[in-house]
Amino acid sequence: MGNNQKTVVIFNSPPNSGKDVAVQYLRGYFCTGEVLAFKDELYLDTARHFDVDVEDLVAYHSDRDLKELPNTMFPKYQSESLKQYFFSLLYIIGLLINNRHLMSLGYYSSREALIHVSESVVKPLKGKDYYGKKLVEKIEGSSERFYFVSDGGMKEELSSVADKGYNVIIAQLMRSGATFDGDSRSLLN
């Protein structure tokens, strides 16, 4: 199938605006297609970086309440260091007194961990379009005609997809209270 016969619908909307529900709905509505995400490869990179099981990371990050809380799975410093040990004690104190600030001094939330790995670890070495190229590899390796992508928000990643000659549709959802605050993605023009 030629690239111009493949259609890629990319949602570019803030967190908690309904993107995941929308891609599943479209997949069901058309009874065909593949649901993809730029972050699929990022999950693998983050799991490797923090030496955690990728299924645990995905499960934790899929929980709306948990993904915003600092977690000991994602230390900010080398895990065996005295500095990290000190921040581990602060984490426990913060947990006991329900103080998120103390908890976050030495640990990332899963959202922050994904952003850290993407922006500070992977992209400086592999380029800003790395996750776009990885998504294109998945599309090229598939015989589907439709692709529904839930997490567009980086111009360079979207350009990697658009430059392949696919029919690209950028869908933007709005939801009251949903913003890009604290996210590395943004609304694209």
Side-chain angles (χ1 to χ4, degrees):
M1 178 179 301
N3 286 348
N4 62 351
Q5 293 178 347
K6 292 186 177 192
T7 299
V8 184
V9 180
I10 301 174
F11 283 86
N12 168 232
S13 304
N16 302 317
S17 60
K19 300 179 301 291
D20 292 323
V21 171
V23 297
Q24 293 300 332
Y25 175 80
L26 287 174
R27 166 70 175 78
Y29 180 81
F30 288 107
C31 298
T32 188
E34 190 171 343
V35 173
L36 299 172
F38 290 101
K39 69 183 170 209
D40 291 341
E41 189 71 22
L42 177 56
Y43 281 138
L44 297 172
D45 291 339
T46 303
R48 277 191 296 269
H49 181 77
F50 289 103
D51 194 26
V52 297
D53 185 73
V54 70
E55 287 83 17
D56 291 343
L57 169 62
V58 172
Y60 190 86
H61 190 72
S62 298
D63 186 306
R64 286 187 189 273
D65 296 325
L66 292 179
K67 74 179 175 182
E68 302 298 340
L69 295 175
N71 187 284
T72 56
M73 286 194 302
F74 313 114
K76 291 183 179 180
Y77 308 100
Q78 188 176 359
S79 60
E80 303 300 321
S81 71
L82 186 58
K83 190 176 197 177
Q84 190 60 50
Y85 177 73
F86 172 73
F87 285 119
S88 295
L89 292 174
L90 290 179
Y91 178 89
I92 292 169
I93 293 168
L95 192 61
L96 292 172
I97 64 173
N98 198 24
N99 185 319
R100 185 174 174 191
H101 176 71
L102 282 178
M103 294 167 63
S104 69
L105 291 175
Y107 295 94
Y108 295 111
S109 68
S110 64
R111 180 186 299 279
E112 292 167 333
L114 290 169
I115 291 170
H116 168 72
V117 169
S118 173
E119 304 304 313
S120 300
V121 177
V122 174
K123 288 182 181 177
L125 294 174
K126 298 182 179 180
K128 291 184 177 186
D129 61 347
Y130 174 72
Y131 292 110
K133 289 178 179 177
K134 296 307 276 185
L135 187 80
V136 166
E137 286 178 14
K138 288 182 183 178
I139 294 170
E140 291 293 311
S142 173
S143 62
E144 288 289 345
R145 181 169 179 216
F146 295 101
Y147 301 87
F148 308 105
V149 182
S150 63
D151 61 343
M154 302 288 191
K155 181 181 175 186
E156 297 83 3
E157 293 172 355
L158 271 66
S159 293
S160 293
V161 177
D163 291 348
K164 291 301 285 186
Y166 306 127
N167 298 316
V168 177
I169 300 168
I170 305 296
Q172 296 177 328
L173 302 176
M174 302 297 168
R175 184 177 187 176
S176 179
T179 70
F180 283 104
D181 291 346
D183 201 3
S184 60
R185 298 170 294 174
S186 62
L187 199 60
L188 301 171
N189 293 330

